[in-house]
Amino acid sequence: MLTASVLLLLATLAGYTLLCVASPFGTCRKCQGLGGKVVLDRKSRPKRAKPCRRCKGHGKRLRIGRRLANHGRAVHRAGTR
Ligand SMILES: [Zn+2]
């Protein structure tokens, strides 16, 4: 039972790592990838009101796994110089 759950956890981790390698950027969860708050103007056309603070208007964010990998690489480079 324990080995099964550990294997499942490892499989999930491996899948997430692959995902971080394949596409390091995910959609911003605050603005759903829109890059900011969208309001309708008087002609009821969608208009971008102001850029999202979390992704600075890009609509994309770096995945947590990728951020950890980047940080780890930076630490390693700083330590082995
Ligand atoms: Zn955003």
Short mmCIF file of all heavy atoms in Angstrom, two decimals, residues 66-81:
data_model
loop_
_atom_site.label_atom_id
_atom_site.label_comp_id
_atom_site.label_asym_id
_atom_site.label_seq_id
_atom_site.Cartn_x
_atom_site.Cartn_y
_atom_site.Cartn_z
N ARG A 66 9.52 25.14 -12.32
CA ARG A 66 10.55 25.76 -13.13
C ARG A 66 11.30 26.83 -12.33
O ARG A 66 12.50 27.00 -12.45
CB ARG A 66 9.89 26.39 -14.37
CG ARG A 66 10.86 27.00 -15.34
CD ARG A 66 11.73 25.94 -15.98
NE ARG A 66 12.57 26.53 -16.99
CZ ARG A 66 12.95 25.90 -18.09
NH1 ARG A 66 12.58 24.67 -18.30
NH2 ARG A 66 13.71 26.49 -18.97
N ARG A 67 10.55 27.55 -11.50
CA ARG A 67 11.18 28.57 -10.68
C ARG A 67 12.16 27.93 -9.71
O ARG A 67 13.26 28.44 -9.49
CB ARG A 67 10.11 29.34 -9.91
CG ARG A 67 10.42 30.81 -9.82
CD ARG A 67 9.19 31.62 -9.61
NE ARG A 67 8.49 31.30 -8.39
CZ ARG A 67 7.26 31.65 -8.12
NH1 ARG A 67 6.59 32.34 -9.00
NH2 ARG A 67 6.69 31.32 -7.01
N LEU A 68 11.75 26.79 -9.13
CA LEU A 68 12.65 26.06 -8.23
C LEU A 68 13.89 25.60 -8.98
O LEU A 68 15.02 25.71 -8.46
CB LEU A 68 11.92 24.85 -7.66
CG LEU A 68 10.98 25.11 -6.49
CD1 LEU A 68 10.28 23.83 -6.11
CD2 LEU A 68 11.75 25.67 -5.31
N ALA A 69 13.70 25.09 -10.21
CA ALA A 69 14.83 24.61 -10.99
C ALA A 69 15.78 25.76 -11.30
O ALA A 69 17.01 25.62 -11.18
CB ALA A 69 14.33 23.97 -12.29
N ASN A 70 15.22 26.91 -11.68
CA ASN A 70 16.06 28.07 -11.99
C ASN A 70 16.84 28.50 -10.75
O ASN A 70 18.04 28.81 -10.84
CB ASN A 70 15.19 29.24 -12.46
CG ASN A 70 14.70 29.03 -13.87
OD1 ASN A 70 15.12 28.09 -14.54
ND2 ASN A 70 13.81 29.88 -14.32
N HIS A 71 16.15 28.52 -9.60
CA HIS A 71 16.79 28.92 -8.36
C HIS A 71 17.91 27.95 -8.00
O HIS A 71 19.02 28.37 -7.63
CB HIS A 71 15.76 28.98 -7.24
CG HIS A 71 16.31 29.38 -5.92
ND1 HIS A 71 16.77 30.66 -5.68
CD2 HIS A 71 16.51 28.68 -4.78
CE1 HIS A 71 17.21 30.70 -4.44
NE2 HIS A 71 17.08 29.53 -3.87
N GLY A 72 17.62 26.65 -8.14
CA GLY A 72 18.63 25.64 -7.84
C GLY A 72 19.85 25.77 -8.72
O GLY A 72 20.99 25.65 -8.26
N ARG A 73 19.61 26.05 -10.00
CA ARG A 73 20.72 26.22 -10.93
C ARG A 73 21.57 27.44 -10.56
O ARG A 73 22.78 27.41 -10.61
CB ARG A 73 20.18 26.36 -12.36
CG ARG A 73 21.18 25.90 -13.40
CD ARG A 73 20.59 26.01 -14.80
NE ARG A 73 19.31 25.33 -14.92
CZ ARG A 73 18.22 25.87 -15.48
NH1 ARG A 73 18.27 27.10 -15.95
NH2 ARG A 73 17.12 25.19 -15.58
N ALA A 74 20.89 28.52 -10.14
CA ALA A 74 21.61 29.73 -9.75
C ALA A 74 22.46 29.48 -8.53
O ALA A 74 23.62 29.91 -8.48
CB ALA A 74 20.59 30.86 -9.48
N VAL A 75 21.91 28.74 -7.55
CA VAL A 75 22.68 28.43 -6.34
C VAL A 75 23.88 27.57 -6.69
O VAL A 75 25.00 27.82 -6.21
CB VAL A 75 21.76 27.73 -5.31
CG1 VAL A 75 22.58 27.12 -4.19
CG2 VAL A 75 20.76 28.70 -4.76
N HIS A 76 23.65 26.58 -7.55
CA HIS A 76 24.73 25.68 -7.93
C HIS A 76 25.85 26.45 -8.64
O HIS A 76 27.04 26.26 -8.38
CB HIS A 76 24.18 24.60 -8.86
CG HIS A 76 25.21 23.63 -9.33
ND1 HIS A 76 25.71 22.64 -8.50
CD2 HIS A 76 25.87 23.50 -10.49
CE1 HIS A 76 26.60 21.94 -9.17
NE2 HIS A 76 26.72 22.44 -10.38
N ARG A 77 25.45 27.36 -9.54
CA ARG A 77 26.45 28.13 -10.29
C ARG A 77 27.24 29.04 -9.36
O ARG A 77 28.45 29.18 -9.48
CB ARG A 77 25.75 28.96 -11.36
CG ARG A 77 26.67 29.33 -12.50
CD ARG A 77 25.94 30.16 -13.53
NE ARG A 77 24.75 29.48 -14.05
CZ ARG A 77 23.57 30.07 -14.22
NH1 ARG A 77 23.43 31.35 -13.93
NH2 ARG A 77 22.55 29.40 -14.70
N ALA A 78 26.52 29.63 -8.39
CA ALA A 78 27.19 30.54 -7.46
C ALA A 78 28.16 29.77 -6.56
O ALA A 78 29.19 30.30 -6.15
CB ALA A 78 26.16 31.26 -6.61
N GLY A 79 27.81 28.51 -6.25
CA GLY A 79 28.63 27.75 -5.32
C GLY A 79 29.81 27.05 -5.96
O GLY A 79 30.77 26.72 -5.28
N THR A 80 29.78 26.82 -7.26
CA THR A 80 30.84 26.04 -7.91
C THR A 80 31.70 26.90 -8.81
O THR A 80 32.25 26.44 -9.78
CB THR A 80 30.23 24.89 -8.75
OG1 THR A 80 29.27 25.47 -9.64
CG2 THR A 80 29.58 23.86 -7.87
N ARG A 81 31.79 28.14 -8.50
CA ARG A 81 32.63 28.99 -9.32
C ARG A 81 34.06 29.04 -8.80
O ARG A 81 34.27 28.93 -7.60
CB ARG A 81 32.06 30.40 -9.37
CG ARG A 81 32.44 31.08 -10.67
CD ARG A 81 31.85 32.44 -10.76
NE ARG A 81 30.38 32.38 -10.64
CZ ARG A 81 29.60 33.41 -10.99
NH1 ARG A 81 30.11 34.49 -11.49
NH2 ARG A 81 28.31 33.33 -10.83
#
